[in-house]
């Protein structure tokens, strides 16, 4: 089930729990603005950071998403921020998608990737049509010889 990111980042309800996060966004002609492959993470709160002697900067949130080691323990030094870097002042930016299970997270990530692929396919189609029209205009410039 998809979880509400605002519920997670605005309180302590999910601190100490493990959730799955993912996010993929890319604009045409640019590198991906965010590529978080489906990852199981630990929702870490201020107490977790204080106990580890860390003071991470997590903007627009009281919690952070800590990657897990092979034993399933949180790596508090490897945080994934809940929001991307498009935020400013009162706008937090675009957040990751959060799920309570791996399969739904994978499905959401694949859907995001396929959306980007579709954008590229549409762009290619438009570019090919434009080039075909331009090429036809150039072909129409030819002059037939008189015999």
């Amino acid at each position: 089930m998809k979880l509400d990111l605002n519920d997670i980042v605005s309180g302590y309800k999910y601190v100490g729990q493990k959730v799955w996060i993912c996010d993929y966004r890319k604009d045409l002609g640019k590198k991906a603005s965010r590529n978080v492959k489906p990852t199981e993470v630990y929702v870490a709160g201020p107490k977790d950071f204080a106990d580890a002697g860390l003071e991470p900067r997590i903007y627009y949130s009281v919690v952070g998403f800590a990657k897990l080691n092979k034993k399933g323990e949180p790596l508090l030094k490897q945080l994934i921020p809940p929001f991307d870097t498009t935020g400013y002042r009162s706008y937090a930016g675009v957040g990751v998608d959060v799920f309570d299970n791996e399969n739904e997270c994978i499905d959401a990530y694949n859907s995001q990737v396929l959306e980007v692929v579709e954008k590229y396919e549409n762009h290619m189609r438009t570019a090919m049509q434009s080039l075909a029209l331009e090429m036809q205009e150039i072909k129409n410039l030819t002059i037939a010889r008189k015999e």
Side-chain angles (χ1 to χ4, degrees):
M1 174 177 73
K2 185 171 183 176
L3 304 174
D4 184 6
L5 180 63
N6 291 326
D7 284 348
I8 295 170
V9 300
S10 63
Y12 301 99
K13 178 179 175 183
Y14 289 91
V15 170
Q17 294 185 29
K18 293 178 183 176
V19 294
W20 285 85
I21 62 170
C22 62
D23 190 19
Y24 186 78
R25 276 176 282 114
K26 182 178 184 336
D27 291 328
L28 294 173
K30 297 180 179 178
K31 71 177 204 167
S33 57
R34 188 102 188 239
N35 184 8
V36 179
K37 293 181 179 175
T39 307
E40 187 176 26
V41 294
Y42 173 83
V43 181
K47 186 175 181 334
D48 296 309
F49 301 124
D51 291 347
L54 301 171
E55 294 180 24
R57 281 194 182 153
I58 305 168
Y59 298 105
Y60 307 106
S61 175
V62 295
V63 300
F65 297 122
K67 291 183 180 182
L68 302 175
N69 64 16
K70 291 179 182 178
K71 296 178 184 177
E73 299 166 343
L75 300 169
L76 295 175
K77 291 185 179 180
Q78 293 185 13
L79 291 180
I80 299 171
F83 298 101
D84 64 8
T85 57
T86 61
Y88 57 91
R89 296 188 187 183
S90 63
Y91 173 65
V94 180
V96 295
D97 288 329
V98 185
F99 297 88
D100 63 358
N101 68 71
E102 180 180 16
N103 290 332
E104 287 184 29
C105 192
I106 289 171
D107 291 344
Y109 181 81
N110 289 340
S111 174
Q112 293 167 347
V113 169
L114 291 175
E115 279 181 35
V116 172
V117 169
E118 189 175 317
K119 280 184 197 175
Y120 271 84
E121 287 172 345
N122 289 337
H123 185 67
M124 278 179 30
R125 219 177 349 270
T126 304
M128 291 299 288
Q129 289 170 349
S130 175
L131 287 172
L133 285 172
E134 190 174 339
M135 187 170 66
Q136 188 58 47
E137 287 175 8
I138 294 169
K139 283 182 180 179
N140 291 341
L141 294 175
T142 60
I143 301 171
R145 285 194 288 168
K146 294 180 186 176
E147 305 235 1

